[in-house]
Structures are given as structure tokens and as C-alpha cells.
């Protein structure tokens, strides 16, 4: 399921190519170098002007993140946190000191470390929320180039087409060349509208949804860490965190028991 | 009244088909395979790229939900909750333990169960609000494909039409075929604009309104459950919850008495 | 001043009709049955799909409300509430019991009744605010069909025009009919853009402004009722509520004295 | 600097007129009565339908306010308030009673009067904030006609142009008249797009910025009045209020001393 | 990396110019005086009407700020503040009095000065937040002309093109001049769409991102200053502030030690 974005772009391109071919158009015409220069380089430049150079050096990473997002295992995280809560209740908060080094997720690790260090609860909340705010801002900066490009590409397409039409108008006395010239002018519009609606805008939306899912994941984690620090009953923490999990993914009563047992063993 | 969305789509299609027929157009032309491939497959792909594959596997469910939404019986819920409140006041909170299993709505059931279990009031509120937040997020993800498709479809229509016009321009030397070719090119615009404005955008709005209505329903329920836990007077709870019901649906004084009596019997 | 919306629609139609006639167009051409079917029935259907059937059965009421809105007499309401406050201060809250039945505005009546019943102040606030929230939601649902129609109508106009142009393109070999066919195709655009911008969008905005004015009116009333319950000095209440009244409508010192005297007599 | 809006409109019109003249167009063609009727009367009607008649009777005032806005002397206000604070600290709050009548700004006057009257601090804040909320709402209603007109005018332009083109299409058999007829049809678009982008939308934005500046001015004043009532050290009040002033306008240390001395004298 | 905006604008222009040249258009045609007058002077006038004259006198500064933004050294600021915190903890708050004069950033200086003066902590927070609010408002006013111009320029382009087409239509009887006249008319659209999408909108977005980065920087600073005043452990302050720094920029454990040592020396 993780490859949704790549699959979607392929489906979209194949559908359009098949339709256009059936209409009798040679799809290869879109590989028009002037149109590509005007639309894609023009859009890239405008996007760099709008968002700065640095974020554009991370484009490969951002593409990869949109196409192969990390799995967010909500139930696994709930069980992990409930395991720590049980260990802390049984053996005291300091008993988590060893477990901390094993935690793979840096956010969870930082949170549990702060708790083990006996940091003031308000400060734990403040530090972790500052982390979340900063992540939200980084994500917003990361999807900005796609959002901006989605806005600029169609207008760069218009720029390309109008340039083409200016050329056409200055050659009205050679009627035989008009058709192909107008056709070529239209290709810029095609490239601009197509790239925006098949690549840039869908990727911007995908990155936004992935960011929201990660924030949701982290809020659940934060709630759990504060619960551990407050010494809440692990059953209560599980109840609270399970509300963050979509009902369809929630384990049945028995599954939950088994998972907890396994987590306890792991945390022990 | 529940079939509003299906009825609306049919009315819209019939109106347009009748108008177009009167103008002299053969409506069957819209069943143009290239236009359908470009617009509908192109839009589907872009929507998958934007929202991921998983949500698209639930499209049949989402269509069904928009077309045949659940009835939300506000007055019935008020009476149900007031019934529990009366039982709790008469026989103590634990007396609700039996009733809990009979509750059909999972949200109400979870809430009353938490109250019966003697959970801390703040925690009851926090768990139920986390449930509501998670539902709001799920609903937002559920309507996203319709909203995205409503944005992509018209531009896919433009892509299809421009492809068609490119084809036209390359055939300017065969004037007799121009008319039908241009006509075919326009069909993609028709398909794109039509599908967005008759299906995608109305369904996105419908799902948003249904989501808001369900949130309103749940907020009322949450308020009632917290009232039961706080041991509020059932009359006070009824007063508070009735404010959530539109004046036109509020029962008259007598109806209210009768309903309460019935609810008490049921809850007893 | 109340008939603003009807007056505005008439001015707009007359201006356009006069201008078009001067240009030489026969304005009666807009009464084109295919265009009306495509645009108005198509828009109605899409709006039903988007907002459900029920709200559309209330369209006559909503039209009436936009065209002949209720008068909101801010100064009158201030004087009324200050009158109750004076009576309550003089004779105790229970003295308002009689006055309650005479109150015409249901919201004020409910509020004063709750105060007379000795309801907890927090609860009075919560119930009245739930009433206001529910009203705000009802108003939002009430203007949704106009807002939706304002978005759909122009695109239905494009659908109609494109259908017409498809027809034109298939009749290119009969040049003499082209002009009238293209003209007819344009009428759908005219109908769509015109209905959206002369009727649907202005009515949606009008209903929004009326809703905001009513919320403002109710917030002032709520503030006054809470002041009565808190036993505030009537002069203080008047000072507080008068801040909600636009300076130009505020009575001069003397008018205020006279009004208070009259209100006291009425409330006595 | 105050005449920015008038200057801007003139610059815009002159630039366009010069450019159009150089292209060879006779600029006087825009004085086309049908286009003016359709666009300006049509827009006025739609705006009245959207916002009511009353606000349109205040259009001359609103135009005047946008073109010749009041000067907001931030530093002057800071010095004025610090002067009152010093007087109050020296001679007691009651010593301000005389000064109140001399205060020119009604908002400051009302605030200081409430303080002198010994009103409860929370109430002073509540009354002045209700004044501010009401002003914000009035300003929003005041710029609504410009914002609405900015949206309607271009579409009224399209209505006018389409009406013109319908006329053209019905006269295709008289080719010699086509050019001027199409040219006349375009004038409505020109009028609609031009009036929206040179007058309506800039004025709406200007009124919004002026409203925000006035809110900022009043928030600073409110902060100062509450400081006077709390008996804060005048130096502390000055520090607090100076944060509202843009650094470039802040007086140097010496200027501040001189200004304070002058203000003390005036307030004494 | 700082020259992103200038680099982006150059890339965009070069890409478009190369594409257009390959299509066969002479790029120099865009230097069309009527188009420039209509679009750029028309847009400037509308922007002045919308935002006032004053802000337009600062355009050179704003351009410079977008093209060569200040470096925001997050880690350096953290180390600086931690250094003050250590000094204050070791030698008391008054020991910072000397250091204050050396602070380069006026915001940090004002904050530390207030702390050294023994100002009430709530007041320190209030004054610094008022500074931030005022800066946010100034930044919003500063990017408004670019945002407004980005909206007006394309429509000024349409105005120019329609003026040109009106001219064309009145010269239909001279077919040989039509092509060049239409081409010239299109240049206004090109100028309008191009200037908006290559310069105005990207600069508006760039200024918005720079403003957000500066707000983030200041919020971190404010948090640190309040921590110094509260006498927090410097290690705790470092922990808190480091959450504002993107993980990739955070120094490793050892680097942090070294930096702290250096900062201590400097602050000592």
C-alpha cells in the first residue's frame, strides 16, 4: 500500500496516453524540448525564487518520502509504550534507563530519556511539543516547493503557449505552417497543466497527509510518555492511546492480551 | 430524505441531457472512450497519487455513506441519555452496568462503560475527545479523494481537449474532418467539468456536512455522559442537551413527558 | 431598508437588460429553454447532491429571510434587558417570573427563565451558548445551497456551451446555421454566470451577514442575561451592552434616560 | 502620504491609457454606455443584493476614508497615556476627572472615564474589548461591498461580452460590421476587469489594512488604560506601549525625555 | 545559499528565453513599451492604491531582504543564551549588565536588559511578545505589495490584451496587419502572467517564509530569556532551545561541549 503515489502517477499517465492515442494523437509529441524548457525550468526557477535553494537540494529525499513513506504502526507503538508503563510501575522509572538505549524512534527515545532523567513534567511536555512544532514547520517548508510548483506550472504553460502564438501571428502569411506551429504552442499548456495536476499538486497533498499522520502518531506518543511519567495505570494509558487508533485496526480483546504479554517480555 | 445525493445526481444528469437534446446534440456522444480514459483514469491516478491507495479501496463504502447516510436521531439520543441519567440517580452509577451491553452506539457504549468503571472524569472526557478527533481526521481523509478529484477532473478535461486540438492542428489540411475532431476534443472538457460538478464536488460537500452532523451528535452525547458522571439532575441534562436539537424537532412539553416515561421503562 | 436584496437583484437585471438592448441584443433570447434546463436544473441537482433534499424544501423560507430579514433592534433589546435588571435588583430575581411569559424573543425568554429558575450560572451560559452554536450551524447549512449553486452554475453554463459547440462542430458543413447555433451555445454561459453572480452568490453573502448580525445580537443578549443573574448594577449592564451598539445608533444621554424610564414602567 | 489610494488609481489609469494609446487604440472607447450599464449597474445591484442597501448609502464616506485616512500618531498616543499615568500616580486617579473632558479620541475618553469612575478592571477590559469587536465587525461590513464588487465586476464583464457575442453571431451575414461589434463586446470585459482591479479590490485591501492599523492603535491604547488603572509605573507603561511602535518611529532617548516633559506639563 | 531568490528568477528567465528561442520566437519582443506601461505601471498603481504609498518607498529594501536575507544562526543563538544563563547562575543576574551592551541582536538585547533591570517576568514576556506581534504585522504589510501585484499583474495583462484586440477588431479590413497586431496584444498577457509568476508571487512567498523563520528564531530567544530570568539550569535551557533547531543542524555531544566552553569564555 505504501507505493500509492508512484502507482497513481503511473495510472494517470497510462490513462491519458491511451486516451490520447485512441484520439489519434502521437503521445510522443509531448517530449517537446521548448515546452519542457519553458514549463519545467521556468517552474523550477520560480519555485527556487519562492522557497530558496536549500529545500530544492532535498527534492530527491522529498520525492522518496512521498513515494515510499515510513510505516506508522499505531498499535505497535501503543503496545511499546504500555510495555514501558508496566515496567516503570513494576520496577520504578529508573528501570527504564536501560530500555531507553534500545528505543528506535528518536522522538520516543528523547521523551523517555527526559522522563528517566527526572525532568519536570511541564518541561517534558514543552520540549516534546517544541519538537513537534519544529517538525510541523519543517514539513510545511518541505511541501512548499510542490505547492508552489503546482501553482506556477500551469501559468508557465500559458507563457509558453502565448510565446508560441506570438510566433504564429508573425507567420500568418505562411498558412501551411500555422497548424503545426499552433499545435506546438499548445504543448506548453499541456506540459504545464499536466505536470501540476499529475505530479506537483498530488505530491503536495500526499506530503500534507503524511505529515498529519506523523503528527497524530507523535501526539499519541507524547500522551503516552506523559502518562508514564504521571505514573498512570498501564491499563488506563492503553485505553487513552487506543482512542487514537482507527477502530478497524484496534486489536480484539484477546489480541491485546497477547501483545501486552509479548511487550512485557521485550521491555523486561 | 436520505437519498438526497443520488436524487440530486439524477436530477442534474436528466436536466442536462434534456437541455442538450433540445439543443440538437446527441447526448450519447459523451460516451467517448478516449475522453473517459483521459479524464476518469487520469483523475483516478492523480487522486491515488494525492491520497494513497488504501482510501481508494474504501470508495464503494464512501459512496454508500454519502448516498445512504445513517439517520441521526437527536431527540432519541437525548431521551436515551436522560434515561440513563435517571437510572443512575435512582439506583447509582453501577446500576448502568447491565444497560451498557445493550447500548447500540459504540461511542455511547464506550462512554457509559468508562463512567460505570469509575474512571476519572477528566480521563473520560479526554478519551472520548480523542475518539472524536480521530473520527474527524478519518472523515477528512475519507472526503479527500472526492475533493482532490473535483480539482483534478476539469484540468484533466483540459489536458484531453488540448491533446485533441493538437491533433486537429496537425490535420488542418483535411478541412472536412476538422469539425468532428474539434467536437471530440471538447468532449474531454465536458466530461471533466461535468464529473467534477455533478459527482465529485457535491459528494465531497455532502460528506463534509454529514461529518459535521455526526460531530454535533457526538458532542451532545459527550456532554450528556459527562453530566451523568457528574451526577447532574436529569432535568438539567435534558435542558442542556435539548439546546443541541433544532427548535423545529424539539418535542412539545407533553411529548417530552411521554418519551421520558418510555425511556425510563426501557432503561429500568 | 429591509428590501435590499430584492432591490439589488432588480437593479442588476435592469442595468444589464438596458445595456444589452442598447448593444442591439434582444434580451428575450436569454429565455432559452435548453440553457435554462442545463444550467438551472443541473445546478439544482448538484446542489441537492451536495446538501441533501431537506434543506432544499426550505428554499422558499430562505429566500424570504434574505429578502425580508427580521429587524434587530439593538437599542430596544438593551433597554428591555436593563429593565429586567432593574426589576430584579429592586424586587429580586423571582419578580421576573411574571415578566418571562411576556418576552417575545424565545432566546431571551429561555435565558431569563433559566435565571428565574435559579439555574447554576455556568449552566445558563453553557445552555445559551449551545443554542447559539446550534443556530450558527443551522445558518451555515441554510446558506450552503446558495454557496454551492454559486459555484456550480457557471460550470453548468460551460457544460451547456460546450454541448452547444459540439453540436456546432458537427454542423460545420452548413455555414448559414453556425452563427445562431454558436449564439445559442453562449446563452448557457450567460445563464450560468448571470444566475450565480446576480442571485446565488449575493444571497449566500446576504444570509452570512444576517447570520453574523443575529449572532452579535444574541451575544449581547447573553451578556445581559448573565449580568442580571450576577446581580450587576443595571447602569453597569447598560454600559456593557451599549458597547455592542454602533455609535451612530446609541441614544444620547437624555434619550437613554427617557427610554429607561419607559422600560422600567413596562417591566414593573 | 495619506493620499496613496487616489494617487495609485491615477497612476494605474494613466499607465494603462498611455500604453493603450501607444498601441493605437483610442482610449475613449471605454466610455461605452452599454458596457458601463451592464458592468457598473449590474455590479452595484449584485453588491446591494449581497450587502444590503444601508451600507451602500455610506459609500461616499467609505471612499473618503480609504482616500484620506485618519493619521494614527502612535508615539503621540503613547506620550498622552504616559502623561495620564504620571498624573494619576502623582495626584491619584480622581485627578484625571478634569482631563477626561479634554480627551479628543472617544475610545481613550471612554476608557479613562471608566477608570476614573472606579469601574471594576475586568469590566473596563470587557467594555473596551466589546467596543473593539464591534468596530472590527463594522469595518468588515464596510469593506464588504468593495470585496463583493471586486468579485462580481469581472463576471458582469463576461456577461456583457457574451451578450455582445450573441449579437455578433446573429449578424454573421454582415461581415463588415463584425469587427466593430466584437470590439464593442470586448469593452464590457475591459470595464469589468479594470474596475475590479484598479478600484474595487485595491480599495477593499486598503480598508482592511487601515482597519488593522486602527485595531493595533486601539489595542495599544487599551493596554495603556489598563496599566493606568493597575497603578503601573509610568516608565513601565511607556516600555510596554513602545513595543507597539515600529522601531523606526520610536523616539531616541532624548526625544522621549523632552516629549514626556511636554506631556506632563499638558496633563498637569 | 542566501541568493536563492535571485538565482531562481535568473533560472526561470533563462529557461523561458531558451525555450521561446527554440520555438522560433524572438525573445526581445517582450520589451514592448505599451505592454510594459499597461502591465507594470498599471500594477504599480493598483498596488499603491491597495497598500498605500509609504510601503512602496521601501520596495528596494524589501527586494534586498528577499534576495539577501539575514543568516539566522540557531545554534549560535542557543549557545549565546546558554552562555548568559551560565554567567547569571554563577555570578547573579546583575553580572549580565556589562554583557548587555555587547549584544548585537536588538531583540535579545532588549530582553536581557529587561531581565537585568529586574522587570516583572510577566511584563518581560508581554513586552517581547508585543514586539513580536508588531514585527509580524510589519512583515505582513511588507509582503502585501508583492502579493497584491501578483494578483493584479495577470489581469492588467488581460486589460492590455483586450485593448489590443479592440484595436485589431477595428482594423479587420487591413488583413496584412492583423497578425502583428494580435501578436502585440498577446505580449501584455505574457508580461502580466510572467511578472506575477516569476517575480511577484515567488517574492511574496519568500518573504513569508523568511518572516516565519525569524518568528521561530525570536520565539526560541524569548523562551531562553524567560528561562534565564526564572533561574533555570543552563542544561535545561539548552535542552529546551535545542528542540527548536532542526535535527540535522544540532551539534553532536562533543561539539556542544566545545561550543559551551567557548561561549562561557566569551560571556565571562
Amino acid at each position: 500500500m505504501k507505493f500509492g503515489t508512484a502507482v497513481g502517477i503511473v495510472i494517470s499517465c497510462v490513462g491519458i496516453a491511451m486516451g490520447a492515442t485512441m484520439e489519434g494523437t502521437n503521445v510522443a509529441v509531448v517530449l517537446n524540448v521548448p515546452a519542457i524548457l519553458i514549463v519545467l525550468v521556468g517552474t523550477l526557477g520560480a519555485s527556487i525564487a519562492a522557497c530558496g535553494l536549500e529545500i530544492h537540494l532535498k527534492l530527491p529525499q522529498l520525492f522518496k518520502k512521498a513515494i515510499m513513506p515510513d510505516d506508522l504502526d499505531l498499535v505497535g507503538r501503543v503496545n511499546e509504550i504500555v510495555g514501558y508503563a508496566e515496567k516503570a510501575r513494576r520496577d520504578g522509572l529508573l528501570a527504564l534507563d536501560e530500555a531507553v538505549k534500545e528505543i528506535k524512534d528518536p522522538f520516543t527515545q528523547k521523551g523517555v530519556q527526559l522522563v528517566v532523567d527526572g525532568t519536570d513534567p511541564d518541561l517534558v511536555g514543552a520540549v516534546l511539543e517544541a519538537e513537534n512544532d519544529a517538525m510541523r514547520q519543517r514539513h510545511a517548508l518541505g511541501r512548499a516547493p510542490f505547492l508552489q510548483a503546482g501553482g506556477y506550472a500551469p501559468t508557465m504553460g500559458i507563457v509558453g503557449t502565448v510565446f508560441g502564438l506570438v510566433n504564429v501571428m508573425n507567420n500568418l502569411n505562411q498558412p501551411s505552417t500555422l497548424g503545426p506551429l499552433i499545435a506546438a504552442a499548445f504543448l506548453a499548456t499541456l506540459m504545464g497543466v499536466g505536470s501540476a495536476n499529475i505530479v506537483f499538486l498530488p505530491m503536495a497533498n500526499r506530503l500534507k497527509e503524511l505529515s498529519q499522520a506523523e503528527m497524530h502518531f507523535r501526539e499519541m506518543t507524547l500522551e503516552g510518555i506523559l502518562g508514564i511519567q504521571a505514573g498512570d495505570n498501564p491499563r488506563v494509558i492503553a485505553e487513552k492511546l487506543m482512542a487514537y487508533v482507527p477502530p478497524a485496526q484496534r486489536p480484539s480483546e484477546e489480541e491485546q492480551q497477547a501483545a501486552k504479554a509479548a511487550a512485557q517480555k521485550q521491555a523486561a
Side-chain angles (χ1 to χ4, degrees), chain A residues 95-113:
Chain A
L96 289 175
D97 202 16
E98 242 171 289
V100 166
K101 284 155 211 154
E102 308 293 314
I103 299 177
K104 274 171 203 147
D105 175 58
F107 181 76
T108 315
Q109 192 182 35
K110 180 164 193 178
V112 177
Q113 183 68 61

Side-chain angles (χ1 to χ4, degrees), chain A residues 43-65:
Chain A
T43 299
L44 177 68
S47 175
I48 289 174
C51 307
L53 259 176
E54 284 159 58
I55 196 72
H56 287 82
L57 302 178
K58 294 190 195 147
L59 281 186
Q61 275 166 266
L62 289 163
F63 266 101
K64 204 186 138 202
K65 192 160 188 188

Side-chain angles (χ1 to χ4, degrees), chain A residues 25 29 35 58 67 73 75 79 139 166 184 197 208 226 234 236 246 254 261:
Chain A
T25 316
V29 295
K58 294 190 195 147
I67 285 172
D73 179 5
V75 174
N79 290 332
H139 285 183
V166 166
N197 286 279
K208 195 179 92 190
L226 294 179
V236 166
E254 301 87 58

Side-chain angles (χ1 to χ4, degrees), chain A residues 56-136:
Chain A
H56 287 82
L57 302 178
K58 294 190 195 147
L59 281 186
Q61 275 166 266
L62 289 163
F63 266 101
K64 204 186 138 202
K65 192 160 188 188
I67 285 172
M68 292 178 46
D70 296 335
D71 254 335
L72 303 177
D73 179 5
L74 284 161
V75 174
R77 179 67 57 89
V78 173
N79 290 332
E80 185 186 345
I81 287 176
V82 170
Y84 301 139
E86 280 165 347
K87 194 176 177 69
R89 206 172 169 90
R90 219 172 38 231
D91 311 325
L93 275 175
L94 291 179
L96 289 175
D97 202 16
E98 242 171 289
V100 166
K101 284 155 211 154
E102 308 293 314
I103 299 177
K104 274 171 203 147
D105 175 58
F107 181 76
T108 315
Q109 192 182 35
K110 180 164 193 178
V112 177
Q113 183 68 61
L114 286 167
V115 168
V116 170
D117 291 354
T119 318
D120 183 74
D122 282 355
L123 183 60
V124 175
V127 169
L128 295 182
E129 270 171 24
E131 287 277 354
N132 283 351
D133 277 354
M135 188 185 80
R136 194 185 292 117

Side-chain angles (χ1 to χ4, degrees), chain A residues 238-253:
Chain A
E239 187 90 57
K240 225 164 161 180
L241 299 197
M242 216 39 104
Y244 285 85
V245 182
Q249 288 175 34
R250 288 180 200 166
S252 65
E253 201 81 348

